[in-house]
Amino acid sequence: MSPGGRFGNSPTGLALAISAGVTMIIALYMMFLYAPQDSVQGPVQRVFYLHLPMAWIAYLAFFIVFVASIAYLIKRNRRWDQVARSSAEVGLVFTTLVIITGSLWGRPIWGTFWEWDARLTTTLILWFIYLGYFMIRAYVSDQERAMRYAAVVGIIGFIDVPIIHMSVRWWRTLHPEPIVTQSGGPAMPDSMLYTMGVALLAFTLFFVYLMYQKMLLEQTKDELSDYNLAEADRQADAAEGVTA
Amino acid sequence: MRNLDKILAIVWKDLLTEVRSRELVVGMLVFAMLTIVTFNFAFDLTGVERAPSGAGALWVAFIFASLLGLGRAVALERDKGSFDGLLLAPVDRGMIYLGKLLGNVIFIVAVQLVTIPVFGALYDLPVYQPMLFVVLFLGTLGIAGLGTLFSVMAASTRAREVMLPVLLFPVALPVVISTVRATTLILTDRTDALMQWVNLLAAFDVIFLTIAFLVFDRVVED
């Protein structure tokens, strides 16, 4: 298959790109023009339509890492590792975006970029765990071992998320403090809910598209490294033949 | 051989090596003491509020000393090729994990038993309480439980000193939070909420040890 056929031009890729793109444009229109202004927070509240879908994608991505890691350790099929590492990369990017959009939202509303509450702390620690996930991949020379180690981190990391969340919440509740993080607020009007719905759909489609492209890329990378290894072997054999 | 004998044989090997070489515990101990002394310059540890900072300082010292010991223990095994010998032994990999874990716990507890009286004297805090030792043990079990797994993983990477804390710190956070909180409550004599934290800590230990025990086999399979 030609590289062009594998990437941008394949019918599936094109269909995903178009559907994600069109939905994203509709979502952007709705979040900036259709959704009503928040009476308390003003225009800043609109970051919510980006922030929540990003958080959803981040956690969805890490859930996929978790499932694919278990599957890899059981089946030992490289496809599962490709799924896990593609999803982890997208997840890490979205976790970073969640933290950034959250801080930008927090500054005008809470008066601070950061608050050590359970949700924020858990997301930050999750970010560090998946940073470790990529570091262990990078620092292990043997490919098969790197996949196994990464799978172990992917599994433990995901199981750890609710545990971290719980421990941080308990830790905070024993520390009385002004309740700035309570999101409660009045129920959203329908137009806001619709906007959120479309935004969630747009981001999910975008995630599927990214996963699709990333998987192809990882597959190609693996094939290329297989080829390089085989080539190195062949050359070593040839050199041996000459000396012998 | 029964499983327990196998575990104890591994522990015995590690203890014997340590008694003969004294490469781990002395280094960890000096490190822990120096950390506690250094914290005195970072926080005001003479005032009434010294118990929370003290508990934090104590655990930072223990965690760093544990990292040092865990990393060193695996490095020693790997350097001399004894870890490969251990893997070749007709022993279930889970038993190897438990043996290494128990050895690590013994080393860390040994360091704690010497550090605690010094800590109590330097910071003038009531350290001789049975519950404190329960918390120390449970906390150590949690740290060492994850640490034993991660140290074996980190040892076969190109950046072993970096990888161990990078993997261990975020994942072990629940253990750190609950031990520090429980230690603070003990040192300030507020025992009403204590059991809640001790139970939580015990639950974390069970979860982390179970996962580590289950996946250890996959980590050392080559």
Side-chain angles (χ1 to χ4, degrees):
Chain A
M1 198 192 292
S2 74
R6 188 173 259 201
F7 291 99
N9 307 336
S10 80
T12 324
L14 207 60
L16 279 172
I18 291 171
S19 55
V22 169
T23 330
M24 193 62 88
I25 291 169
I26 299 173
L28 283 171
Y29 167 80
M30 286 177 84
M31 58 183 90
F32 287 109
L33 300 169
Y34 168 75
Q37 189 91 303
D38 187 278
S39 56
V40 184
Q41 300 192 3
V44 188
Q45 183 266 346
R46 290 179 200 274
V47 79
F48 184 44
Y49 303 120
L50 291 173
H51 183 70
L52 185 81
M54 283 170 176
W56 147 245
I57 296 300
Y59 280 88
L60 173 69
F62 291 137
F63 177 68
I64 293 175
V65 175
F66 174 65
V67 175
S69 297
I70 293 176
Y72 175 75
L73 285 186
I74 294 171
K75 305 253 178 192
R76 296 308 164 95
N77 185 335
R78 196 163 60 174
R79 286 302 287 235
W80 286 114
D81 184 72
Q82 289 165 354
V83 175
R85 71 183 112 122
S86 306
S87 192
E89 196 168 304
V90 179
L92 189 65
V93 171
F94 276 89
T95 313
T96 313
L97 289 172
V98 167
I99 294 172
I100 293 172
T101 52
S103 296
L104 292 177
W105 190 12
R107 182 66 188 166
I109 301 305
W110 298 342
T112 168
F113 282 114
W114 191 257
E115 187 62 41
W116 288 103
D117 100 314
R119 219 169 295 178
L120 274 72
T121 312
T122 309
T123 309
L124 182 66
I125 299 300
L126 189 69
W127 189 79
F128 278 112
I129 291 177
Y130 285 92
L131 210 59
Y133 178 89
F134 282 104
M135 282 176 75
I136 195 126
R137 261 181 198 286
Y139 288 143
V140 178
S141 322
D142 179 55
Q143 281 226 341
E144 190 272 337
R145 185 188 287 170
M147 293 177 190
R148 259 191 294 127
Y149 284 10
V152 167
V153 178
I155 293 169
I156 296 185
F158 191 78
I159 297 176
D160 213 25
V161 171
I163 301 176
I164 294 173
H165 190 87
M166 192 173 75
S167 62
V168 178
R169 213 175 51 200
W170 280 33
W171 167 57
R172 277 333 243 176
T173 46
L174 291 179
H175 252 254
E177 57 169 46
I179 307 161
V180 286
T181 51
Q182 233 174 32
S183 55
M188 284 194 284
D190 284 349
S191 53
M192 283 185 172
L193 280 176
Y194 295 149
T195 308
M196 185 52 82
V198 175
L200 279 169
L201 179 70
F203 272 88
T204 309
L205 285 170
F206 184 44
F207 171 71
V208 175
Y209 173 67
L210 287 178
M211 273 298 283
Y212 177 77
Q213 293 290 7
K214 186 72 191 145
M215 286 275 300
L216 288 177
L217 195 64
E218 293 299 328
Q219 226 170 301
T220 314
K221 265 191 206 166
D222 280 352
E223 279 165 25
L224 192 64
S225 84
D226 282 352
Y227 173 77
N228 284 338
L229 280 176
E231 182 66 16
D233 270 357
R234 204 182 56 77
Q235 280 179 4
D237 286 349
E240 224 167 84
V242 169
T243 50
Chain B
M1 264 171 123
R2 288 176 304 131
N3 280 337
L4 188 63
D5 293 335
K6 293 172 187 164
I7 297 172
L8 291 179
I10 296 170
V11 177
W12 179 244
K13 171 193 84 71
D14 284 351
L15 288 181
L16 203 62
T17 317
E18 176 56 23
V19 167
R20 287 183 185 158
S21 66
R22 289 188 205 87
E23 280 198 52
L24 287 176
V25 173
V26 176
M28 287 163 74
L29 184 62
V30 174
F31 187 83
M33 298 273 193
L34 281 173
T35 311
I36 283 175
V37 171
T38 309
F39 260 103
N40 179 53
F41 304 106
F43 299 133
D44 177 24
L45 292 168
T46 48
V48 235
E49 279 299 305
R50 68 186 182 280
S53 331
L58 189 66
W59 274 101
V60 169
F62 288 157
I63 290 166
F64 279 116
S66 306
L67 280 178
L68 205 67
L70 288 162
R72 197 80 200 102
V74 183
L76 285 174
E77 288 259 48
R78 291 256 175 194
D79 288 348
K80 293 169 187 162
S82 68
F83 198 70
D84 295 329
L86 203 57
L87 292 180
L88 284 173
V91 179
D92 187 65
R93 296 286 162 77
M95 297 307 129
I96 298 181
Y97 169 73
L98 292 178
K100 298 303 293 178
L101 166 65
L102 196 55
N104 285 329
V105 169
I106 291 173
F107 293 145
I108 300 170
V109 167
V111 170
Q112 291 174 337
L113 290 181
V114 183
T115 313
I116 286 287
V118 178
F119 168 76
L122 285 178
Y123 293 171
D124 189 24
L125 286 166
V127 290
Y128 299 102
Q129 301 185 49
M131 274 318 281
L132 182 66
F133 291 92
V134 173
V135 170
L136 282 176
F137 177 73
L138 288 175
T140 306
L141 197 61
I143 301 280
L146 286 167
T148 304
L149 175 75
F150 287 148
S151 63
V152 172
M153 283 167 64
S156 50
T157 65
R158 285 195 298 278
R160 40 171 90 156
E161 295 83 3
V162 181
M163 269 333 286
L164 181 55
V166 164
L167 292 175
L168 185 59
F169 278 168
V171 176
L173 188 76
V175 175
V176 175
I177 289 178
S178 38
T179 41
V180 171
R181 184 60 60 201
T183 310
T184 307
L185 291 175
I186 293 168
L187 294 179
T188 49
D189 208 24
R190 284 179 296 163
T191 40
D192 46 321
L194 178 63
M195 278 327 284
Q196 188 184 344
W197 284 105
V198 175
N199 291 339
L200 195 66
L201 184 54
F204 290 158
D205 282 357
V206 171
I207 297 170
F208 287 139
L209 257 68
T210 310
I211 307 173
F213 179 80
L214 289 175
V215 298
F216 187 74
D217 180 41
R218 308 286 176 181
V219 167
V220 294
E221 69 185 20
D222 44 5

